[in-house]
Amino acid sequence: MKDQAIKIEKKSTRDGFGAGLYEVGVKHNNAVALCADLVGSLKMQKFIDAFPERFFQVGVAEANMMGVAAGLAIGGKIPFTGTFANFSTGRVYDQIRQSIAYSHKNVKVCASHAGLSLGEDGATHQILEDVGMMKMLPGFTVINPCDYNQTKAATIAIAEHHGPVYLRFGRPSWPVFTDPDAKFEIGKAVKMKDGKDVSVFATGHLVWNALQAAEQLEKEGISCDVINIHTIKPLDEAAILASVKKTGCVVSCEEHQRNGGLGDSIAQLLAQNLPTPMEYVAVNDTFGESGTPTDLLDKYGLGIKDVLQAIKTVIKKK
Amino acid sequence: MAEIQELKSTASQVRRDIIRMVYYATCGHPGASLGCTEFLTALYFEVMDHDPKFNMDGKNEDVFFLSNGHISPLWYSILSRSGYFERDEMSTFRKLNSRLQGHPATHEGLPGVRVASGSLGQGLSVAVGTALAKKLDNDSKTVYVLTGDGELQEGQNWEAIMFAAHHKVDNLIATVDWNGQQIDGSNDDVLSLGDLPGKWRTFGWEVLEMDGNIMEEVLTTLKKAKALTGKGKPIVILMKTSMGHGVDFMAGTHKWHGKAPNKEQAIAALAQLEETLGDYVYENGDV
């Protein structure tokens, strides 16, 4: 597996978004895109070149971007807003809450550079609270795909879904390990590896880390059920409960604060339906800092070794 | 063109509705609602080409957005009186299970409302977006939006103002209720708006001014604004109004921004406003 990991193709999830956005433009005449001065970072140029009249540069003015997107949605368009995750959520939370969520507008809030893995820019840009904020908004769908292929597919899928969506992806080059032809079903968890000793629920970049940890543990005789929860809301409760009934313990993995993240959602579900020992691989109530993506994930407890350790710990609690 | 007299008579009934809604709710915002009555009456009963059957997308019709959502009693009266929903539904204003929320919302499906407002500073951006959608669809109708003046202290407005000029959103007519007052006092005391006409002009907008409490002037200015659409610039009307206009003891003071009259005050206010179209029914009502 280690050799495989070295050879595997790497591409960023934001590149997947850019590719998907272009496909959306081809398929839907009423799809429009807006960007707050980050066209290159969000990989939106291909859409802009193909559909210049359907692109709106809003400048460094994210609050207005959210309002304009809501207005375009009223007029029957499907707006995709593009900026960093930090500026897509916390900076404009009230605009999203009132003009988009409460007003149920068909706006797709597309957010790059989420989490620690944006790297050297540091904590000002490394938002780790966005999933929590967005999943709290009634009616919002929250999606965090795991690689290039899945981000592309998710981008295409959300255009077909009527309602506000938060699509979270990232900056770094990351292994591409899902099937390019896989259909993306919103709210449907994807089984990545079948196992019986522990349920590992992961989202975003950390699906890869979860799979790597599971491969290593396989050699030690520990069998992991690895499930990719690309849609954090609505949560695939049936898939989670089915896995946990089988394994009896849980590890959640995400590039986000422990407070308010995927792990919280899972814990809430289990507390009500099937109380189960659980460990979290998540950032624990701290801000990030500058560094390379891998160094940061390791330092803040989101590396492969951290998933591995969490699995061993939780199995002992069974 | 509807007779001026007819519009004034409608405005009188709208003012009665505002007083009664706020009285029965025991809360709400009568001040600026009364101040903007001529404007919204002219817009809905004369100027706009709109369909009370209500389509959310507003395609091929003029569309209005209310950014200063707290003047909801005015808007609800206007919407109801122009056929968007039954007159007597006004009796549910601010009550449990009502479509007439304290601040306007789409959540309960009230016809005529396209986006929630109340948290200030957001309506202009939304109006710009819908104006852009119209342009993409080659829809020649106009988008109107009303904002408060204190509301212009929200930075998002200036983002939208810059954007609309840059993108030549010239099918948009914004109006500012320039009554000079806000919750903590006058604009000048709280946070001065400075040279408001100059600011909009410098940002690239066509600027008109009017007295918003003179029906004739409102109609003439809205006509002028309409004639300026399609010429590469967004248009703003800076509308001087008097809060509480139409009720002598409420006029010209900020005291009635967010306060309901008691029974005696409600009766005194209603005595100054002719019932022209029939009051809505409020079960066991006492004014």
Side-chain angles (χ1 to χ4, degrees), chain A residues 295-310:
Chain A
D295 286 350
L296 285 163
L297 294 179
D298 284 343
K299 175 167 177 177
Y300 288 88
L302 310 182
I304 296 166
K305 68 170 176 25
D306 300 295
V307 181
L308 217 135
Q309 188 53 54

Side-chain angles (χ1 to χ4, degrees), chain A residues 13-87:
Chain A
T13 48
R14 59 184 164 137
D15 274 302
F17 166 69
L21 185 64
Y22 168 76
E23 300 288 332
V24 168
V26 171
K27 202 167 170 193
H28 302 276
N29 287 332
N30 59 342
V32 297
L34 304 93
C35 186
D37 200 26
L38 286 169
V39 163
S41 297
L42 271 285
K43 308 292 177 188
M44 295 170 91
Q45 197 59 49
K46 194 174 178 192
F47 179 96
I48 298 169
D49 289 342
F51 316 105
E53 73 291 347
R54 286 196 265 147
F55 171 73
F56 301 101
Q57 172 62 262
V58 302
V60 194
E62 296 83 5
N64 183 51
M65 175 163 73
M66 293 306 165
V68 171
L72 282 158
I74 289 168
K77 306 302 170 194
I78 312 173
F80 283 68
T81 67
T83 182
F84 290 169
N86 191 18
F87 316 136

Side-chain angles (χ1 to χ4, degrees), chain B residues 6 11 87 105 119 121 145-146 162 164 174 186 193 198 266 271 283:
Chain B
E6 203 180 315
R87 187 188 72 176
S119 174
V145 55
L146 177 64
M162 234 186 293
S186 73
L193 300 172
E283 226 167 292

Side-chain angles (χ1 to χ4, degrees), chain A:
Chain A
M1 190 65 210
K2 209 170 183 187
D3 289 342
Q4 256 184 3
I6 290 161
K7 278 185 229 150
I8 197 159
E9 183 194 17
K10 286 187 175 184
K11 278 172 161 179
S12 71
T13 48
R14 59 184 164 137
D15 274 302
F17 166 69
L21 185 64
Y22 168 76
E23 300 288 332
V24 168
V26 171
K27 202 167 170 193
H28 302 276
N29 287 332
N30 59 342
V32 297
L34 304 93
C35 186
D37 200 26
L38 286 169
V39 163
S41 297
L42 271 285
K43 308 292 177 188
M44 295 170 91
Q45 197 59 49
K46 194 174 178 192
F47 179 96
I48 298 169
D49 289 342
F51 316 105
E53 73 291 347
R54 286 196 265 147
F55 171 73
F56 301 101
Q57 172 62 262
V58 302
V60 194
E62 296 83 5
N64 183 51
M65 175 163 73
M66 293 306 165
V68 171
L72 282 158
I74 289 168
K77 306 302 170 194
I78 312 173
F80 283 68
T81 67
T83 182
F84 290 169
N86 191 18
F87 316 136
S88 296
T89 57
R91 190 179 180 92
V92 291
Y93 197 58
D94 188 48
Q95 283 77 17
I96 292 178
R97 181 176 177 274
Q98 175 172 284
S99 295
I100 297 174
Y102 183 39
S103 298
H104 200 67
K105 296 302 170 229
N106 191 23
V107 174
K108 315 304 171 188
V109 178
C110 302
S112 184
H113 292 53
L116 292 170
S117 63
L118 87 83
E120 292 79 353
D121 276 349
T124 52
H125 289 51
Q126 290 160 343
I127 195 156
L128 295 163
E129 302 82 24
D130 53 328
V131 167
M133 282 189 274
M134 301 310 282
K135 79 176 188 183
M136 277 201 293
L137 292 170
F140 239 92
T141 295
V142 178
I143 298 173
N144 188 16
C146 63
D147 71 352
Y148 173 95
N149 289 335
Q150 192 167 68
T151 308
K152 182 180 174 187
T155 306
I156 295 165
I158 62 176
E160 320 258 337
H161 165 86
H162 189 89
V165 175
Y166 179 59
L167 182 67
R168 177 195 215 234
F169 44 92
R171 173 175 180 265
S173 265
W174 203 254
V176 181
F177 55 98
T178 66
D179 178 357
D181 300 319
K183 187 170 159 22
F184 188 90
E185 289 183 68
I186 295 172
K188 192 104 180 97
V190 180
K191 174 71 67 84
M192 307 299 287
K193 186 183 167 305
D194 208 32
K196 58 179 178 31
D197 298 327
V198 57
S199 298
V200 183
F201 300 114
T203 191
H205 292 136
L206 288 212
V207 173
W208 174 252
N209 288 8
L211 279 171
Q212 297 309 294
E215 292 293 343
Q216 290 185 29
L217 286 169
E218 195 82 7
K219 291 171 201 155
E220 299 178 27
I222 297 172
S223 151
C224 304
D225 212 34
V226 182
I227 298 180
N228 172 5
I229 310 285
H230 53 64
T231 306
I232 294 161
K233 186 185 170 189
L235 196 64
D236 190 343
E237 299 186 348
I240 292 169
L241 290 172
S243 171
V244 176
K245 270 178 197 151
K246 179 175 65 172
T247 65
C249 66
V250 175
V251 171
S252 63
C253 311
E254 59 193 311
E255 202 182 340
H256 189 272
Q257 296 287 357
R258 181 192 285 197
N259 282 328
L262 168 67
D264 253 11
S265 292
I266 293 170
Q268 213 177 96
L269 172 73
L270 296 178
Q272 280 187 301
N273 298 281
L274 188 64
T276 306
M278 181 163 171
E279 285 291 311
Y280 299 82
V281 173
V283 175
N284 194 7
D285 204 25
T286 181
F287 291 102
E289 63 181 291
S290 294
T292 67
T294 314
D295 286 350
L296 285 163
L297 294 179
D298 284 343
K299 175 167 177 177
Y300 288 88
L302 310 182
I304 296 166
K305 68 170 176 25
D306 300 295
V307 181
L308 217 135
Q309 188 53 54
I311 291 170
K312 287 184 171 173
T313 305
V314 84
I315 284 175
K316 282 189 204 139
K317 288 186 183 173
K318 277 215 265 189

